[in-house]
Amino acid sequence: MSALHDLGLRVPEALSLVACDDVDLTRLHEPPIDVITRDPLELGRTAAELLLQRRQDPEAPPRRMLLPTTFVRRGSSGEAAVPAGRAARSA
């Protein structure tokens, strides 16, 4: 945030900023940083299960897992800008 400030870029007016994982530092900035949260215990448990399954059957096809995530809006992301030269389209 300080580097963006030094460059004269304002969040969220000039660009949006979103972090992964909700750590205390995300709340100490102005504006507070939006975050994507996930459960680290569930992430670790799932990774360990997949590793153990792979060790049991190394020839099994890879599995993809989708774990729940949540977006926590705090003020560091804004509306998407329309690139210059493009008109906004309505659906």
Side-chain angles (χ1 to χ4, degrees):
M1 291 288 274
S2 62
L4 294 173
H5 181 266
D6 291 347
L7 292 170
L9 297 173
R10 293 180 44 96
V11 173
E13 293 82 6
L15 60 95
S16 293
L17 184 63
V18 178
C20 286
D21 299 325
D22 195 6
V23 295
D24 289 338
L25 291 176
T26 60
R27 296 183 190 127
L28 296 177
H29 294 280
E30 187 54 44
I33 300 172
D34 297 350
V35 294
I36 306 247
T37 63
R38 53 204 167 176
D39 182 348
L41 294 176
E42 179 68 14
L43 187 64
R45 185 188 64 74
T46 302
E49 285 178 5
L50 291 172
L51 179 62
L52 292 173
Q53 289 172 7
R54 174 63 68 175
R55 284 189 47 110
Q56 269 186 330
D57 187 2
E59 301 302 318
R63 291 179 54 201
R64 293 185 89 187
M65 303 293 295
L66 182 61
L67 299 178
T69 59
T70 304
F71 177 70
V72 179
R73 182 179 296 275
R74 294 201 176 112
S76 68
S77 62
E79 296 295 320
V82 176
R86 289 192 178 171
R89 297 181 188 163
S90 57

